[in-house]
Amino acid sequence: MTTIHSWMNNRWAIPAASGALIIAALVILQLGTIDLLGNILMVAAAVVAGAHIVITAARALWARVIGIDLLVAVAAIGAVVIGQYWEAAAVTFLFAIGHALETATLNKTRSALAELVAVAPDVAITLRDGEQVEVAATAVILGETVLIKNGAKVPVDGEVIGGAGALDEASITGESMPVEKVTGDRVFAGTVARSGFLQVRATGVGADTTLARIIHRVEDAQDTKAKTQVFMDRFSAWYTPAILVLAIVVGLFTQDIVLALTLLVIGCPGALVISIPVSIVAGIGRAAKDGILIKGGEFLETSAKITAVAVDKTGTLTIGRPRVTDVVVLNPDLTRSDVLGWAGRAEAGSEHPLSRAILDAARSESLDVAGLPEATEPVPGKGIVVTTRGHRVLIGNPALLVQYPIIDAYAATLAATALAEAGRTPMIVVLDDTVAGVIGVADEVRADAAQMVSDLHAAGVKRVVMLTGDAPLVANAVAAVTGVDEVRASLLPEDKLDVVVALQAEGYVVAMVGDGVNDAPALATANIGVAMGAAGSAVAVETADIALMGDNLLKLPEAISLARRTVNNMRQNIAIALITVTLLLLGVLLGGVTMSIGMLVHEASVLIVIVNAMRLLRRHGGVSSAPHTNTTTPPATRSTDRGLTPATIRPDRAATTTTTTGGTP
């Protein structure tokens, strides 16, 4: 009984039963013994295949919607009434096959969503009262410790509190290489442990995990209509009744009922109706596989028109973590380690934002910077004066040296100026009364930033503008590395918004890329707002028009390229549908195209449209997918133990610089 019920619910059950009845009818009619039985079987085939069509048409008509099913239902019933049993059976049988194939292939285009659901973990191993307990993934309590063993799926979002291992995060970020995890790192539900053993404190469970939010977002996005699809829906609402009227007029004028019924079948706009949504579903599904979340069809369509990209510098083009790039030694009696070590001991008691970079650099070179200074005196706007281990250490800008009798202050000022021109933040280090050296600190440019700009131009973007609150010298150094077309420096958050508005006023379709609160006004104003590194950020996933789940900048040109390919695919599908319907209508009116042949060609056009859309599911090689690793920090100076050698900056692309005063770095 269960087998029969399962078979009846199979999408191929109705076409199979109808096909069997048609074959039996054809055999009997061919033998020429009992034509009545053959005709009865042919009508039965039409009823089996057409019952669902008639029911669907009646429901739609009750809701005041004239759809494709109504055209087929009227044509099939009319064919039976006038004795065209074969035509009635063939039309309903072909329509049933087309519907089954359409369902199967549409499910294929939604494969990305199905794969996301499939990676959702079912169970978790938690530590409760010191014992390992296996529970449902949804039963994990916030704050509990979850154990992740090699080969297991991570069941929760959380923070590593013990152990080490590598996780495959392809389901979240789209990256194929496993990511090493140690204490303090974040992990996401649905990722898979490839090595090691992790202890994770749960910070997100069930519907609050990043994976659950992604699945919800993709579901909504695939159902959201593009502007073109809305237009096509309105067009179909008028087109279908027009075909009904045309069939009636032709039937009355020619007195040929078969011709009128054939027009009903041929005029079905099936391929036209499905041409756009199938492309949108496939395009958004492909993007989700690659760690790119697109809010819906409308935003996918708009993304295909992007001609200008405004990019925030800090945290987007750069990593957002300043580091020591240069240690210039000016005292011949000292070494690089001496300069960095004294600076680290002095900065141990400082609250300056760049002190962390100096301390990290000193510790990475195993220098002794433990403990706190005996005394620390901040000099607002200039630096700090510190007493540590019996020595006075000054760290600051050239203005700090004016207040103290310092030997070789002029050389320190020259070195600091050279570093500033190179885009570094210079910090002069003075030991007692003698300049020890100058340390340059800079935010590290992402390895793939230059490749992203190149790929954006290759994807059809005409203008890439860098926006930053940093000083022009620093901004220009980053521009020299990344090759952006234009630099806007010293900007306040409202200034970034003004830049976006100005670009739009010039006729550009603007995408704004950012990751901070200060980017929010510009992100909201841009035609497309893009959030970077959205994995784990519920706000970014829900509010951004496009959310790049990982920190790979190359996903941005990949998203724009995919949007353009999706829109081109939509246009191809519309052309296929319209050409097919036009040729079939001409074939019917001029003679030669029967009802069954017309339905066969019509269903073939539907499948062609779907198969064409499925091409979007393949990974495209049009833009780079791997990070470009040739450049990391602005290549402006060389660090030596004895002096500074400036290097000439020769950017491949000259960047236009615009400075707005009043900004803050």
Side-chain angles (χ1 to χ4, degrees):
M1 194 68 182
T2 303
T3 303
I4 295 174
H5 184 267
S6 175
W7 186 84
M8 289 300 293
N9 286 329
N10 189 291
R11 69 171 68 95
W12 297 105
I14 290 177
S18 178
L21 289 170
I22 289 174
I23 292 172
L26 289 174
V27 169
I28 292 173
L29 291 172
Q30 188 67 30
L31 293 175
T33 52
I34 313 175
D35 288 351
L36 178 61
L37 179 58
N39 290 334
I40 290 174
L41 290 176
M42 202 67 79
V43 172
V47 171
V48 169
H52 179 71
I53 301 170
V54 173
I55 292 171
T56 303
R59 289 174 178 171
L61 199 58
W62 182 260
R64 298 182 181 180
V65 175
I66 299 176
I68 302 170
D69 297 274
L70 180 62
L71 299 182
V72 176
V74 171
I77 293 171
V80 171
V81 171
I82 64 174
Q84 298 287 333
Y85 307 125
W86 154 249
E87 296 289 356
V91 166
T92 52
F93 170 68
L94 289 170
F95 192 81
I97 286 182
H99 180 71
L101 286 171
E102 181 181 318
T103 302
T105 47
L106 272 175
N107 287 343
K108 177 63 177 176
T109 63
R110 291 185 179 268
S111 59
L113 182 58
E115 289 177 17
L116 284 173
V117 173
V119 301
D122 298 321
V123 297
I125 298 177
T126 64
L127 275 181
R128 293 182 177 177
D129 298 326
E131 299 289 333
Q132 295 187 24
V133 180
E134 184 175 295
V135 299
T138 54
V140 177
I141 301 170
L142 285 176
E144 269 194 313
T145 299
V146 179
L147 305 181
I148 314 297
K149 301 179 180 180
N150 186 21
K153 290 180 182 178
V154 179
V156 297
D157 283 3
E159 180 182 347
V160 178
I161 58 174
L167 297 183
D168 180 352
E169 295 186 337
S171 59
I172 302 296
T173 65
E175 301 296 335
S176 57
M177 295 300 294
V179 180
E180 294 292 333
K181 298 291 182 180
V182 295
T183 301
D185 288 342
R186 300 193 67 182
V187 300
F188 306 107
T191 55
V192 181
R194 295 304 183 196
S195 65
F197 177 81
L198 297 172
Q199 298 178 46
V200 174
R201 184 177 68 250
T203 59
V205 298
D208 291 329
T209 64
T210 299
L211 178 63
R213 289 193 293 269
I214 293 174
I215 291 173
H216 174 69
R217 176 67 176 270
V218 175
E219 283 177 335
D220 289 346
Q222 289 187 335
D223 291 334
T224 302
K225 295 182 178 181
K227 291 180 180 177
T228 306
Q229 185 181 350
V230 172
F231 169 78
M232 293 306 298
D233 287 347
R234 291 174 180 171
F235 173 78
S236 297
W238 288 95
Y239 173 84
T240 305
I243 290 295
L244 275 171
V245 172
L246 175 64
I248 293 171
V249 171
V250 170
L252 293 174
F253 183 77
T254 63
Q255 298 298 307
D256 188 341
I257 298 178
V258 174
L259 177 61
L261 294 176
T262 303
L263 278 175
L264 288 179
V265 173
I266 301 306
C268 290
L272 194 61
V273 170
I274 204 173
S275 59
I276 297 172
V278 70
S279 296
I280 290 173
V281 167
I284 289 176
R286 175 70 260 175
K289 278 186 176 182
D290 294 334
I292 303 166
L293 292 189
I294 301 176
K295 198 170 188 177
E298 179 182 351
F299 302 98
L300 182 69
E301 200 169 19
T302 303
S303 297
K305 303 174 185 175
I306 291 172
T307 52
V309 174
V311 188
D312 177 53
K313 180 184 76 70
T314 305
T316 304
L317 288 177
T318 64
I319 292 176
R321 294 191 299 272
R323 71 181 185 91
V324 172
T325 57
D326 303 85
V327 178
V328 183
V329 182
L330 297 178
N331 186 337
D333 296 328
L334 299 177
T335 66
R336 169 193 167 91
S337 296
D338 293 332
V339 174
L340 189 57
W342 283 112
R345 294 177 199 114
E347 291 289 359
S350 171
E351 296 180 354
H352 194 277
L354 299 181
S355 63
R356 174 57 56 190
I358 293 177
L359 286 168
D360 288 345
R363 287 167 182 156
S364 69
E365 297 186 18
S366 301
L367 302 179
D368 180 16
V369 292
L372 295 174
E374 291 88 57
T376 300
E377 179 188 348
V379 182
K382 299 178 182 179
I384 58 173
V385 179
V386 175
T387 301
T388 178
R389 302 190 184 185
H391 293 272
R392 186 185 70 179
V393 180
L394 278 65
I395 300 182
N397 55 33
L400 180 64
L401 275 58
V402 176
Q403 297 183 211
Y404 298 88
I406 303 299
I407 299 173
D408 206 16
Y410 179 71
T413 301
L414 286 179
T417 301
L419 282 171
E421 290 175 348
R424 272 61 165 163
T425 299
M427 303 174 73
I428 300 173
V429 181
V430 177
L431 182 61
D432 295 322
D433 296 325
T434 304
V435 172
V438 182
I439 295 176
V441 179
D443 193 359
E444 186 176 358
V445 177
R446 290 183 186 271
D448 49 6
Q451 187 65 44
M452 178 204 70
V453 175
S454 175
D455 286 353
L456 283 174
H457 286 114
V461 175
K462 298 176 181 177
R463 199 166 165 187
V464 181
V465 183
M466 183 178 78
L467 309 181
T468 179
D470 249 331
L473 286 175
V474 176
N476 286 335
V478 175
V481 175
T482 58
V484 296
D485 302 303
E486 187 176 339
V487 176
R488 302 293 182 94
S490 300
L491 300 179
L492 294 170
E494 53 267 30
D495 296 326
K496 295 182 180 181
L497 184 151
D498 292 339
V499 172
V500 170
V501 171
L503 287 170
Q504 291 171 328
E506 293 176 33
Y508 290 97
V509 177
V510 183
M512 172 66 195
V513 189
D515 70 336
V517 175
N518 63 332
D519 301 322
L523 284 168
T525 304
N527 300 93
I528 293 292
V530 182
M532 273 289 298
S537 172
V539 175
V541 171
E542 294 300 329
T543 60
D545 300 326
I546 296 179
L548 308 181
M549 301 308 295
D551 282 329
N552 185 355
L553 284 174
L554 301 186
K555 294 294 182 184
L556 177 59
E558 187 177 328
I560 294 174
S561 178
L562 176 61
R564 296 193 197 283
R565 287 189 290 117
T566 302
V567 169
N568 287 336
N569 191 276
M570 288 161 51
R571 291 169 180 163
Q572 293 165 7
N573 284 346
I574 292 171
I576 291 170
L578 289 176
I579 290 171
T580 301
V581 170
T582 301
L583 292 177
L584 284 176
L585 287 174
L586 288 174
V588 172
L589 295 174
L590 298 176
V593 176
T594 64
M595 190 185 300
S596 55
I597 291 175
M599 179 54 71
L600 180 61
V601 174
H602 169 266
E603 292 302 331
S605 70
V606 171
L607 293 179
I608 290 172
V609 162
I610 296 174
V611 171
N612 185 48
M614 287 176 64
R615 293 189 301 115
L616 293 169
L617 294 175
R618 300 200 307 265
R619 181 179 288 276
H620 191 260
V623 293
S624 303
S625 58
H628 180 73
T629 57
N630 288 348
T631 57
T632 53
T633 54
T637 59
R638 294 189 181 95
S639 176
T640 67
D641 285 346
R642 297 297 176 187
L644 175 68
T645 305
T648 304
I649 303 175
R650 298 183 183 274
D652 295 331
R653 182 181 300 274
T656 303
T657 305
T658 302
T659 303
T660 301
T661 57
T664 55

